[in-house]
């Protein structure tokens, strides 16, 4: 056998035992008369010892010549370690090696396999199988496994059944771009990879499964960011005979369970906020509520003087940054430059320092007196020592800009603490969004989302006023889950398709199978999907999902390790009835 124990298992109680270990050579320390080898596997590190007194010369020389990452098997006696290492679990013992077998020699790795590696991100992604040997990545993958197991355990205990749905499905015009797969047996026709199992989980409710879940791969052909990948994993769930409150209660339970079991954190309350309220108070629909800095609209208090920047603005809005009145003029100028970057797009920024003596100093003292600035402080909730930051302009754009500034200030002040968790439900989203370029409405979530009870008739008179029976779960400023109560009757679904610009023929061609199913006794149903990658990253104290995915793509959607995507040969193209015009 290759091993009797793992490299993280041996303790003082094993002293004098004969054991075999296998793993990778982590480090070799040669002192001439003695050689120590750190042997590593997934479970930890054990120190091997070879010395002139107790080790045959040929074995000592073999140990001395071992290269990093060589795979070996070592057999010997567990002895007490003279110089103990309290930093590792096996630090009280070492293995006096009597037999050594090289199972596979290794080339010198292109970067150091250490927690603090010398490898850049691109290099580590190219050699991801080596990167996974590092504790930082290995532990992230083990952490992801723990989260996934707790999800399965909780949902199974709540009566949910895991059902697999197809990966080769039909392309639809809603949502992001599909990844398409040509069909060899059906010339000129294509499958699509699912952006979500949405219609299938609804059909499972029609089929009477009642409570479904699936930890499932989904695919979207869209531009990437730190928290997006072309393929990602969802915790996909659906329930029959439920209203919104039932779904929220069920998945508050899941979130509480994960926070308690994974992080040891108990959360009692999940605040709720409407979409409109979130936009007004925080400027986005996934606010981080671990800290304050709520928006204060200042139009009434600012548009009565000769400051045309404010007078001509649709919205004047500010935040109070705690304990930041000490910012120097240079620091404030740098912050102004930050909001004027193209990524933010503000034209400028006004500031007010709330001095400790109760007076105020602002960048607009020429236009506003102390009473005016005191009113701004009251509205923003600013106290002595705080800094008020104000932006103005078009309502939607200004809110977005101030939201970005709020998050930037929170980062700079250390207010976004990874070990604090603040969940929030955002509800009552608009059902439809108007595309200003085309003048057409599209579904804010997806076309199967039900309007709030009693609002269906508004679709004909005031579509933008209709609220969706939808909800997002936000954690620490990140949307970790989103769902809705679904449309479950054909007539309502047809109305919805009509308002989204589908002709009856187009709706039938794309979704006729679903509307037909609704005629065979579809129950009221609703559900939610959690982004597993993002959820795991946040629970792990990070916001970049790539570190919690075994083999991620880069920002261009490429797998640089296997060099994909890649061309296919002419014979494959011919079989698929495809021709490339390059």
């Amino acid at each position: 056998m290759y091993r009797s124990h793992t490299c993280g298992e041996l303790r003082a109680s094993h002293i004098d035992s004969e054991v075999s270990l296998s793993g990778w050579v982590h480090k070799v320390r040669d002192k001439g008369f003695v050689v120590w080898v750190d042997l590593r596997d997934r479970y930890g590190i054990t120190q091997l010892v070879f010395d002139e007194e107790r080790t045959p010369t040929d074995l000592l020389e073999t140990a001395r010549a071992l290269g990093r990452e060589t795979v070996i098997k070592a057999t010997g006696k567990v002895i007490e370690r003279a110089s103990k290492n309290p930093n590792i679990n096996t630090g009280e013992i070492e293995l006096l090696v009597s037999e050594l077998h090289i199972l596979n020699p290794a080339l010198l790795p292109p970067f150091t396999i250490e927690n603090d590696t010398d490898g850049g991100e691109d290099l580590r992604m190219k050699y991801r199988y080596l990167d996974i040997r590092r504790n930082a990545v290995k532990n992230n993958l083990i952490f992801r496994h723990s989260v996934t197991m707790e999800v399965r355990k909780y949902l199974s205990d709540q009566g949910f059944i895991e059902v697999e749905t197809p990966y080769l499905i039909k392309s639809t015009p809603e949502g992001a771009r599909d990844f398409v797969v040509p069909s060899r047996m059906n010339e000129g026709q294509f499958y699509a990879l699912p952006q979500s199992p949405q219609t299938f989980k609804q059909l499972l409710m029609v089929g009477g499964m009642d409570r479904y879940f699936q930890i499932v791969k989904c695919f979207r052909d869209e531009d990437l960011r730190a928290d997006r990948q072309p393929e990602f994993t969802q915790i996909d769930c659906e329930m029959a005979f439920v209203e919104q409150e039932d779904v929220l209660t069920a998945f508050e339970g899941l979130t509480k369970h994960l926070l308690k079991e994974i992080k040891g954190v108990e959360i009692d309350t999940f605040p709720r906020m409407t979409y409109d309220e979130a936009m007004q108070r925080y400027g986005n629909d996934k606010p981080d509520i671990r800290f304050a800095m709520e928006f204060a609209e200042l139009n009434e208090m600012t548009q009565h003087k000769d400051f045309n920047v404010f007078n001509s603005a649709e919205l004047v809005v500010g935040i109070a940054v705690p304990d930041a009145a000490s910012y120097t003029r240079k620091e404030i100028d740098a912050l102004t430059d930050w909001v004027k970057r193209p990524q933010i797009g503000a034209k400028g920024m006004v500031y007010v320092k709330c001095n400790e003596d109760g007076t105020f100093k602002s960048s607009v003292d020429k236009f506003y007196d102390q009473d005016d600035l005191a009113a701004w402080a009251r509205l923003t909730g600013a106290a002595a020592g705080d800094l008020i930051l104000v932006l103005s302009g078009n309502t939607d754009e200004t809110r977005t800009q101030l939201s970005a500034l709020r998050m930037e200030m929170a980062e700079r002040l250390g207010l976004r603490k990874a070990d604090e968790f603040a969940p929030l439900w955002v509800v009552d989203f608009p059902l439809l969004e108007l595309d200003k370029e085309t003048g057409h409405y599209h579904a804010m979530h997806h076309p199967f989302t039900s309007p709030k009870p009693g609002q269906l008739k508004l679709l004909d008179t005031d579509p933008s006023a209709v609220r969706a029976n939808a909800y997002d779960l936000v954690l620490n400023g990140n949307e970790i889950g989103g769902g809705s109560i679904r449309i479950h009757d054909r007539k309502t679904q047809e109305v919805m398709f009509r308002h989204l610009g589908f002709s009856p023929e187009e709706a039938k061609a794309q979704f006729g199978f679903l509307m037909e199913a609704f005629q065979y006794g579809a129950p009221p149903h609703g559900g939610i999907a959690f982004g597993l990658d993002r959820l795991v990253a946040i629970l792990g104290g990070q916001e970049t999902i790539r570190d919690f995915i075994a083999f991620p793509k880069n920002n261009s959607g490429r797998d640089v390790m296997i060099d994909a995507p890649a061309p296919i040969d002419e014979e494959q193209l011919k079989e698929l009835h495809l021709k490339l015009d390059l």
Side-chain angles (χ1 to χ4, degrees):
M1 68 183 167
Y2 286 114
R3 59 186 180 186
S4 60
H5 297 77
T6 69
C7 293
E9 188 175 352
L10 299 175
R11 303 290 187 271
S13 59
H14 294 96
I15 288 174
D16 292 332
S17 300
E18 286 285 332
V19 303
S20 294
L21 302 177
S22 291
W24 290 264
V25 173
H26 185 66
K27 192 177 293 183
V28 178
R29 300 185 300 282
D30 185 356
K31 297 298 184 182
F33 62 91
V34 61
V35 175
W36 290 286
V37 175
D38 287 345
L39 187 65
R40 184 194 71 242
D41 65 7
R42 182 187 118 189
Y43 306 94
I45 290 177
T46 298
Q47 180 171 282
L48 313 181
V49 62
F50 308 78
D51 62 40
E52 291 180 345
E53 291 184 7
R54 296 172 289 183
T55 306
T57 302
D58 59 340
L59 185 56
L60 183 62
E61 291 305 315
T62 300
R64 187 170 280 132
L66 288 172
R68 281 188 173 222
E69 302 307 308
T70 294
V71 185
I72 64 173
K73 172 188 174 183
T75 300
K77 181 192 288 189
V78 181
I79 63 174
E80 185 176 3
R81 186 165 170 169
S83 179
K84 295 179 174 56
N85 183 353
N87 296 319
I88 59 174
N89 292 333
T90 60
E92 293 185 346
I93 59 91
E94 59 189 1
L95 185 67
L96 179 61
V97 178
S98 57
E99 293 182 37
L100 181 65
H101 299 279
I102 296 178
L103 302 178
N104 206 342
L107 297 174
L108 182 68
F111 56 86
T112 307
I113 313 297
E114 297 280 2
N115 287 345
D116 297 321
T117 184
D118 55 357
E121 185 176 25
D122 290 343
L123 184 64
R124 289 187 289 108
M125 288 187 70
K126 180 175 176 60
Y127 296 94
R128 184 64 167 181
Y129 47 86
L130 297 179
D131 201 28
I132 289 172
R133 295 180 190 174
R134 297 192 309 116
N135 283 335
V137 181
K138 175 197 72 177
N139 290 339
N140 281 349
L141 297 182
I142 294 171
F143 182 79
R144 181 188 178 108
H145 163 76
S146 298
V147 174
T148 303
M149 291 301 292
E150 288 298 333
V151 168
R152 282 197 162 97
K153 178 179 181 295
Y154 179 86
L155 292 176
S156 297
D157 288 346
Q158 297 297 314
F160 286 80
I161 304 299
E162 186 164 14
V163 182
E164 296 178 62
T165 54
Y167 277 177
L168 295 175
I169 65 168
K170 187 177 187 177
S171 183
T172 62
E174 285 295 314
R177 294 184 186 89
D178 289 325
F179 282 101
V180 294
V181 181
S183 171
R184 179 181 60 82
M185 294 181 289
N186 300 276
E187 182 175 352
Q189 297 185 326
F190 297 81
Y191 298 105
L193 299 180
Q195 296 185 35
S196 84
Q198 181 62 44
T199 55
F200 289 100
K201 66 179 180 180
Q202 291 189 246
L203 292 171
L204 286 170
M205 297 302 101
V206 179
M209 290 306 294
D210 195 72
R211 289 189 168 203
Y212 140 95
F213 85 98
Q214 184 180 189
I215 296 178
V216 58
K217 279 285 187 185
C218 300
F219 307 85
R220 290 179 186 170
D221 187 6
E222 60 185 354
D223 295 337
L224 305 182
R225 299 198 303 253
D227 62 343
R228 283 187 182 173
Q229 287 275 296
E231 53 180 313
F232 57 96
T233 306
Q234 283 188 180
I235 308 167
D236 199 59
C237 307
E238 198 79 3
M239 306 166 70
F241 302 107
V242 291
E243 297 177 333
Q244 177 176 294
E245 191 64 32
D246 301 305
V247 180
L248 268 55
T249 299
F251 291 97
E252 279 184 19
L254 173 61
T255 309
K256 287 179 181 178
H257 176 81
L258 292 175
L259 287 169
K260 181 178 180 180
E261 296 300 320
I262 300 296
K263 302 300 294 184
V265 173
E266 296 206 30
I267 300 289
D268 293 327
T269 59
F270 282 59
R272 298 183 188 182
M273 188 179 298
T274 66
Y275 170 85
D276 290 340
E277 185 183 359
M279 296 304 294
Q280 186 171 17
R281 291 172 60 184
Y282 298 101
N284 70 66
D285 58 4
K286 46 182 183 296
D288 190 336
I289 60 171
R290 285 175 293 180
F291 52 94
M293 287 195 277
E294 288 192 27
F295 289 13
E297 296 188 1
L298 303 174
N299 291 52
E300 289 187 13
M301 295 296 178
T302 59
Q303 294 179 332
H304 62 288
K305 295 293 178 74
D306 295 329
F307 188 53
N308 193 52
V309 172
F310 285 172
N311 291 342
S312 62
E314 186 178 1
L315 176 69
V316 182
V317 62
I319 56 173
V321 182
D323 303 318
S326 59
Y327 267 41
T328 65
R329 180 59 185 268
K330 183 177 180 180
E331 288 174 315
I332 293 174
D333 286 346
L335 203 56
T336 303
D337 290 339
W338 187 89
V339 300
K340 291 167 72 173
R341 296 179 310 149
Q343 300 94 314
I344 307 301
K347 293 181 179 179
M349 182 183 76
V350 169
Y351 73 86
V352 180
K353 290 185 176 185
C354 302
N355 299 322
E356 295 290 347
D357 62 3
T359 62
F360 302 93
K361 174 63 181 173
S362 82
S363 55
V364 287
D365 283 344
K366 180 180 176 181
F367 300 97
Y368 299 94
D369 59 28
Q370 292 291 297
D371 289 340
D372 292 324
L373 300 179
W376 299 13
R378 284 195 300 273
L379 283 175
T380 59
D386 292 350
L387 177 68
I388 302 171
L389 301 178
V390 182
L391 300 181
S392 62
N394 171 275
T395 296
D396 292 342
E397 292 175 359
T398 303
R399 282 175 174 169
T400 300
Q401 293 159 2
L402 190 61
S403 175
L405 179 59
R406 175 179 181 267
M407 295 294 278
E408 176 66 16
M409 296 309 299
E411 286 285 354
R412 296 187 183 196
L413 296 172
L415 301 177
R416 303 193 72 206
K417 298 176 182 176
D419 58 351
E420 290 182 9
F421 297 94
L424 168 73
W425 286 110
V426 178
V427 299
D428 295 355
F429 287 83
L431 182 67
L432 304 175
E433 282 184 306
L434 181 65
D435 187 323
K436 293 180 180 179
E437 292 185 6
T438 65
H440 297 305
Y441 283 98
H442 62 87
M444 191 165 189
H445 283 76
H446 54 64
F448 316 110
T449 297
S450 174
K452 296 287 283 189
Q455 295 196 3
L456 182 62
K457 290 182 179 180
L458 278 175
L459 283 173
D460 290 321
T461 58
D462 190 2
S464 61
V466 181
R467 293 300 163 205
N469 208 342
Y471 33 82
D472 281 357
L473 181 56
V474 176
L475 184 63
N476 295 0
N478 293 272
E479 178 201 332
I480 60 167
S484 65
I485 300 300
R486 323 299 187 190
I487 296 170
H488 67 278
D489 67 280
R490 180 173 186 136
K491 183 177 179 181
T492 303
Q493 190 64 73
E494 287 176 341
V495 170
M496 185 66 173
F497 283 143
R498 175 166 54 84
H499 282 279
L500 291 173
F502 287 83
S503 69
E505 294 76 21
E506 290 171 333
K508 183 177 180 180
Q510 293 290 339
F511 302 108
F513 66 93
L514 183 65
M515 292 191 289
E516 183 178 8
F518 287 167
Q519 298 177 111
Y520 289 92
H525 59 280
I528 194 169
F530 284 72
L532 179 64
D533 308 300
R534 192 177 302 172
L535 174 62
V536 170
I538 294 169
L539 292 176
Q542 301 179 42
E543 292 189 7
T544 303
I545 66 174
R546 188 181 298 159
D547 295 335
F548 292 84
I549 297 173
F551 300 102
K553 307 290 190 294
N554 68 10
N555 285 341
S556 299
R558 294 196 66 82
D559 187 323
V560 295
M561 182 182 67
I562 65 173
D563 194 24
I568 60 175
D569 62 36
E570 288 291 337
E571 189 59 33
Q572 286 177 291
L573 288 171
K574 185 177 179 181
E575 285 185 336
L576 294 169
H577 318 289
L578 297 175
K579 183 178 180 180
L580 295 182
D581 294 322
L582 300 178

